[in-house]
Amino acid sequence: MPINLSVNPSRTRAALVFAHQPGNLLTGEIIGQLHAALDDLAELPHLRLVTIEGAGADFSFGASIPEHVPGEIERVLPATHALLAALLDVPAPTAAIVRGRCLGGGFELALACDFIIAAETATFGLPEIMLGVFPPAASVLLPLRAGASRATSAILSGEPRSAAYWQAMGVVEMVAPDATLAGVVGDWCARTFETKSAEALRHAVRAVRLPVVDAVKRQLPLVEQLYLHDLMHSADATEGVRAFLEKRKVEWKDK
């Protein structure tokens, strides 16, 4: 199964692992299954933490480029944003556990979590600008997490950056050696959440998420419209995706 949802015996922690090799691409199918799995968490009243991670060596390479063509992107992008809204509605703290590469839509998924915990060798990037597009959700979420200037730099450069860099920016909560990451996450969960009231945590995350939820409700639809109705009708957005799929050098028209 591409999605595995496991719950510990005390039903205080849920782990959601998604798999779609290579690179755990966030296809429309994976997005739908992740959304359905999140809906199941509402039935766990003792839940104190939900973790999300990609199977294998990498968290996610991001969105499926073949689904970024006209006729597909109009379906997949709103579904992606609905998934992020559902993640922000999870009635417990959430944490993305990141190994390897966390790119594009994968980084956006991690940014919608309350925490990001990363392996020392993890890298994060928003390479969409190389394809003549931009990351809509990151345009809304990353300024809230890292500040406008850092978000602008990451989005306009498209350059990957280390877990240590994003920890210094306050985006990543904790960095641990790759080999000990699972144990570090377990210890952090036990220390930070297991002794707390699930009811108190449920209300606390609703409160602290309010600025993010407000931005997703008010700003993200505007950005989505800009992306679908303006950018995706440009010559360069089409050229960037086609060049990638055809494995050739891109030829920008600047229009």
Side-chain angles (χ1 to χ4, degrees):
M1 289 291 292
I3 306 295
N4 179 48
L5 175 62
S6 60
V7 181
N8 67 349
S10 60
R11 300 173 72 81
T12 60
R13 177 177 168 184
L16 186 58
V17 180
F18 62 99
H20 187 275
Q21 299 303 328
N24 297 322
L25 292 176
L26 292 170
T27 64
E29 180 183 3
I30 293 292
I31 288 165
Q33 292 186 20
L34 281 168
H35 199 155
L38 291 178
D39 289 341
D40 293 340
L41 299 177
E43 306 302 320
L44 300 173
H46 306 298
L47 198 59
R48 288 168 169 80
L49 179 68
V50 178
T51 59
I52 299 179
E53 57 188 299
D58 298 287
F59 184 79
S60 174
F61 291 174
S64 170
I65 303 304
E67 293 185 340
H68 258 63
V69 297
E72 288 291 320
I73 188 62
E74 295 86 355
R75 171 183 62 88
V76 175
L77 190 65
T80 302
H81 295 165
L83 169 63
L84 301 184
L87 186 53
L88 288 165
D89 198 40
V90 169
T94 57
I97 312 303
V98 176
R99 296 176 179 83
R101 286 162 285 188
C102 181
L103 306 175
F107 195 4
E108 293 178 317
L109 180 66
L111 287 169
C113 293
D114 299 311
F115 303 96
I116 300 174
I117 302 177
E120 285 179 338
T121 56
T123 57
F124 299 77
L126 298 164
E128 286 89 342
I129 199 72
M130 309 298 189
L131 299 178
V133 293
F134 70 94
S139 301
V140 173
L141 295 172
L142 192 54
L144 294 172
R145 303 294 195 196
S149 62
R150 299 296 183 184
T152 300
S153 175
I155 291 168
L156 298 190
S157 73
E159 296 173 354
R161 291 169 183 179
S162 68
Y165 171 87
W166 287 114
Q167 184 182 34
M169 297 302 106
V171 174
V172 171
E173 174 76 6
M174 190 184 314
V175 175
D178 297 41
T180 63
L181 184 61
V184 166
V185 171
D187 292 343
W188 173 74
C189 176
R191 181 178 67 252
T192 308
F193 302 111
E194 290 293 348
T195 61
K196 308 292 194 310
S197 157
E199 180 72 3
L201 290 170
R202 197 156 36 244
H203 289 288
V205 294
R206 284 184 62 191
V208 299
R209 287 173 187 162
L210 281 174
V212 180
V213 171
D214 182 62
V216 167
K217 287 183 176 179
R218 291 191 305 107
Q219 298 175 28
L220 191 52
L222 299 177
V223 176
E224 181 181 296
Q225 183 176 22
L226 171 67
Y227 193 98
L228 293 177
H229 296 274
D230 295 332
L231 177 64
M232 290 309 297
H233 290 283
S234 71
D236 281 353
T238 301
E239 166 63 11
V241 172
R242 284 180 176 171
F244 179 88
L245 295 175
E246 295 169 5
K247 296 181 173 57
R248 60 172 173 81
K249 184 178 179 180
V250 67
E251 298 180 4
W252 301 125
K253 303 295 190 296
D254 296 330
K255 61 180 182 179

